């Protein structure tokens, strides 16, 4: 046993599907056991054609589960209990068929029902022929899994069982082990304990009259993912949220709901004094109506009303002016052209330490999506590119960069 492994004592459900890479699952199982984990293998009916349950049960010291019940005794195998028992679930190899079932909730075998019942982190290591891997159906299903928060362990390029060469080889067991170990290392990371973090998220609504407003398409998902990740690492988080329909992701987060940019500014001015990190993720409306009407504008008016606007306060720039020694201020930039130049200009003008650039041009990134791709630019000009990942993973990468 590796005494220092973060997998020691962890409960892992290892899901095995019917693909030629199933032979590598034996090594993966051995590595998990060597690292001190308790492993329950769940195999699909097709998986058993590739690797025998006898090998797997001998190595895991547990009967392998495949059917909903044992035929001769009638013993019921509870996928719900298994899902609750698991500290994580690793599906390796994951075939196109199982990925499709997982993405769409087709619960016709024990592996998929366990997946749907699992409350813990799920890792998916696809393995298939290159054309299956590249098919839009597969890529769409993998994107769906990513959007559910599953971690996809991308297959490698290389020789495939078919004799073809391309992307589809299951990642090597040693590397799958590393990904799972890193996850648990991070999960036990409470290095931000005692740190105070202020986050703004979502849009702001600027009232025109009692029933209308100026707003934008922000849903708050990126800011909420950041709040969740900071809280998970032990930080004391205050989340100032514009009008969004998201639940607070962690009961340790203090949430202040606001409507307009002015209300958001007031909350931030009050809260930012003793914060160690302030992350301005909100898509604040730049303009508000000059006068908010107390009665609904009527359509029956002869003239089309003219809306006069006034500039909203810039919250990030205000905090930038108030910034004290030791405080880190992070802003976001959503650009459509000359992206880097505009982002760097904003970083300097608002006295930020980092700016996270979202490109409207990357499919799957930006407003409302569950995924994002960003560039993190620091004050000294260093740039870190984060490719398309779930917003939870992007949040983790952003925090790794700024601390
Ligand atoms: O200037 P622009 O709106 O593009 O800058 C984006 C950054 O500034 C984001 O971090 C956003 O949260 C912040 N911002 C703000 N107050 C505003 C406008 C933007 O805090 N009124």
């Amino acid at each position: 046993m590796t005494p220092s492994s973060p997998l020691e004592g962890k409960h892992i459900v290892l899901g095995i599907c019917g693909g030629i890479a199933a032979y590598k699952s034996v090594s993966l199982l051995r590595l998990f056991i060597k690292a001190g984990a308790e492993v329950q293998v769940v195999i699909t009916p097709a998986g058993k054609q590739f690797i025998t349950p006898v090998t797997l049960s001998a190595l895991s010291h547990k009967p392998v589960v495949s059917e909903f019940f044992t035929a001769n005794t009638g013993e019921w195998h509870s996928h719900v209990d298994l899902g609750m028992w698991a500290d994580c679930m690793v599906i390796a190899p994951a075939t196109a068929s199982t990925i499709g079932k997982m993405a769409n909730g087709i619960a016709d075998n024990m592996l998929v029902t366990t997946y749907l019942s699992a409350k813990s982190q799920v890792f998916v290591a696809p393995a298939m022929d290159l054309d299956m891997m590249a098919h839009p159906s597969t890529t769409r299903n993998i994107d769906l899994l990513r959007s559910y928060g599953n971690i996809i362990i991308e297959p490698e390029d290389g020789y495939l069982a078919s004799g073809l060469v391309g992307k589809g080889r299951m990642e090597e067991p040693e590397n799958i082990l590393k990904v799972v170990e890193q996850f648990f290392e991070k999960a036990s990371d409470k290095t931000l304990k005692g740190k105070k973090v202020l986050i703004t998220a979502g849009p702001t609504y600027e009232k025109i009259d009692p029933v209308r407003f100026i707003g934008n398409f922000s849903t708050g998902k990126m800011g909420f993912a950041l709040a969740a990740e900071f809280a998970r690492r032990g930080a004391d988080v205050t989340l100032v949220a514009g009008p969004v329909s998201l639940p607070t992701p962690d009961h340790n987060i203090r949430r202040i709901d606001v409507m307009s940019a002015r209300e958001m500014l007031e909350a931030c001015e009050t809260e930012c004094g003793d914060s160690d990190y302030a992350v301005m993720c909100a898509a604040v409306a730049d303009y508000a109506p000059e006068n908010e009407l107390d009665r609904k504008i009527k359509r029956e008016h002869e003239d089309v009303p003219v809306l006069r606007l006034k500039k909203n306060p810039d919250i990030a720039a205000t905090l930038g002016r108030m910034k004290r020694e030791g405080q880190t201020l992070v802003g976001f930039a959503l650009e459509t052209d000359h992206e880097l130049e505009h982002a760097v200009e904003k970083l300097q003008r608002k006295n930020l330490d980092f700016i996270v650039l979202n490109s409207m041009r990357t499919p799957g990134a930006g407003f409302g999506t569950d995924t994002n791709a960003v560039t993190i630019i620091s004050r000294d000009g260093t740039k870190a590119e984060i490719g398309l990942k779930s917003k939870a993973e992007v949040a983790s990468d952003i925090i790794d960069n700024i601390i």
Side-chain angles (χ1 to χ4, degrees):
M1 188 194 295
T2 322
S4 59
S5 171
L7 294 192
E8 206 177 324
K10 291 284 185 278
H11 294 169
I12 301 179
V13 170
L14 174 60
I16 302 177
C17 308
I20 188 68
Y23 77 92
K24 290 197 205 168
S25 308
V26 177
S27 314
L28 182 60
L29 170 58
R30 288 204 60 209
L31 290 171
F32 283 154
I33 298 281
K34 266 181 81 182
E38 228 184 287
V39 185
Q40 174 63 63
V41 175
V42 183
I43 192 163
T44 61
K48 288 191 282 185
Q49 307 294 320
F50 289 87
I51 178 92
T52 107
V54 179
T55 311
L56 299 164
S57 69
L59 290 171
S60 64
H61 313 292
K62 284 182 197 298
V64 169
V65 179
S66 183
E67 316 300 335
F68 291 111
F69 57 88
T70 310
N72 55 348
T73 61
E75 187 197 353
W76 167 252
H77 302 136
S78 168
H79 53 90
V80 177
D81 288 351
L82 249 189
M84 301 231 275
W85 174 84
D87 292 310
C88 77
M89 182 167 185
V90 181
I91 302 165
T95 54
S97 160
T98 294
I99 289 171
K101 288 180 187 179
M102 287 159 62
N104 297 289
I106 300 170
D108 67 349
N109 67 38
M110 190 66 189
L111 192 152
V112 181
T113 47
T114 306
Y115 164 74
L116 293 176
S117 306
K119 288 186 153 116
S120 53
Q121 182 63 56
V122 178
F123 300 85
V124 182
M128 62 197 80
D129 210 45
L130 76 163
D131 294 317
M132 291 176 84
M133 188 69 211
H135 195 280
S137 156
T138 311
T139 48
R140 190 203 55 193
N141 286 331
I142 288 179
D143 283 346
L144 278 174
L145 295 187
R146 217 178 251 124
S147 76
Y148 305 157
N150 300 163
I151 295 177
I152 308 297
I153 304 175
E154 290 287 342
E156 298 174 299
D157 265 325
Y159 284 101
L160 302 167
S162 59
L164 300 173
V165 179
K167 185 174 172 178
R169 268 175 73 91
M170 186 175 89
E171 180 56 280
E172 291 306 323
E174 290 73 15
N175 294 334
I176 298 180
L177 174 78
K178 262 191 220 147
V179 173
V180 181
E181 281 189 327
Q182 275 166 7
F183 169 80
F184 281 106
E185 246 159 36
K186 271 197 171 172
S188 62
D189 164 15
K190 295 286 174 227
T191 40
L192 291 180
K193 205 166 169 54
K195 296 284 181 203
K196 292 197 150 211
V197 181
L198 171 68
I199 301 175
T200 64
T204 63
Y205 286 179
E206 314 298 331
K207 274 189 167 177
I208 298 170
D209 67 16
V211 297
R212 302 183 180 94
F213 61 83
I214 296 175
N216 58 65
F217 295 119
S218 168
T219 55
K221 284 181 180 173
M222 192 63 240
F224 274 57
L226 278 161
E229 182 60 17
F230 268 116
R232 198 187 60 66
R233 297 190 193 197
D236 180 359
V237 180
T238 301
L239 175 61
V240 181
V244 294
S245 54
L246 297 174
T248 311
D250 187 306
H251 66 273
N252 288 317
I253 295 172
R254 198 160 70 89
R255 173 169 175 172
I256 303 173
D257 286 303
V258 296
M259 176 83 85
S260 64
R262 203 141 274 289
E263 286 172 22
M264 190 173 269
L265 173 70
E266 276 167 28
C268 287
E269 281 178 327
T270 315
E271 298 298 328
C272 110
D274 58 350
S275 64
D276 298 286
Y277 299 95
V279 184
M280 302 289 101
C281 195
V284 185
D286 289 324
Y287 301 98
E290 199 170 63
N291 299 305
E292 181 191 323
L293 301 174
D294 54 9
R295 269 191 282 168
K296 189 179 166 194
I297 303 172
K298 289 283 183 205
R299 195 147 61 103
E300 294 75 32
H301 277 307
E302 277 179 16
D303 304 331
V304 175
V306 174
L307 204 58
R308 277 195 68 84
L309 301 176
K310 63 179 180 201
K311 259 193 169 171
N312 260 338
D314 190 321
I315 303 166
T318 310
L319 299 197
R321 284 192 294 274
M322 293 164 59
K323 193 162 66 170
R324 54 169 180 75
E325 186 74 21
Q327 209 169 32
T328 302
L329 183 58
V330 184
F332 274 69
L334 182 67
E335 305 294 338
T336 52
D337 62 287
H338 298 88
E339 297 158 333
L340 273 176
E341 275 165 65
H342 284 153
V344 169
E345 182 276 322
K346 260 173 216 174
L347 177 138
Q348 285 160 355
R349 178 163 46 85
K350 301 186 190 213
N351 194 24
L352 307 172
D353 300 288
F354 295 89
I355 192 150
V356 181
L357 171 63
N358 270 296
S359 171
M360 284 297 274
R361 282 193 259 183
T362 315
F367 283 157
T369 57
D370 291 306
T371 47
N372 208 359
V374 300
T375 306
I376 306 166
I377 307 159
S378 68
R379 218 182 161 75
D380 63 14
T382 9
K383 292 181 196 70
E385 302 262 357
I386 313 292
L388 197 68
K389 293 180 181 184
S390 72
K391 283 189 172 165
E393 290 172 275
V394 172
S396 179
D397 289 347
I398 292 174
I399 297 172
D400 285 344
N401 269 275
I402 66 177
I403 56 178

